[in-house]
Amino acid sequence: MDAQLDEKALESTLAESLDELTPDSKTVSDDEFAEVVGGALEAVGGTLLFKMCVDSGGEGQHVAAACVGDGGSRQFLLLTLPTTGG
């Protein structure tokens, strides 16, 4: 499969999954973030490498690193979401 098409499919799947967390103004929990990211990565054959919550200038951010593909075609991803959603 073309790497650019693969990247677009991954981006679309992750965006759709993360959109599920933003319908209201509640705080997004670490478990909710992990569940949505994990589901999106599973859909595209990706692997979650790590996740954490960091404070960026008084605003919390969920951060996750993941990879998709193998060998020379492996891509690394950095995913972020404010704890307030968005």
Side-chain angles (χ1 to χ4, degrees):
M1 183 180 279
D2 184 271
Q4 190 168 7
L5 290 176
D6 220 15
E7 187 174 313
K8 294 237 185 263
L10 173 63
E11 184 178 322
S12 175
T13 301
L14 289 170
E16 289 171 11
S17 295
L18 291 174
D19 280 345
E20 295 172 13
L21 295 177
T22 61
D24 53 30
S25 61
K26 72 173 189 136
T27 299
V28 177
S29 74
D30 190 48
D31 289 339
E32 289 172 316
F33 179 70
E35 182 179 333
V36 170
V37 169
L41 289 171
E42 184 178 318
V44 295
T47 302
L48 179 65
L49 301 174
F50 69 86
K51 65 176 180 54
M52 66 174 64
C53 191
V54 297
D55 185 358
S56 176
E59 191 174 302
Q61 293 274 330
H62 293 287
V63 179
C67 66
V68 178
D70 294 312
S73 65
R74 178 175 286 160
Q75 297 178 0
F76 292 93
L77 311 166
L78 182 61
L79 310 163
T80 64
L81 180 71
T83 56
T84 57

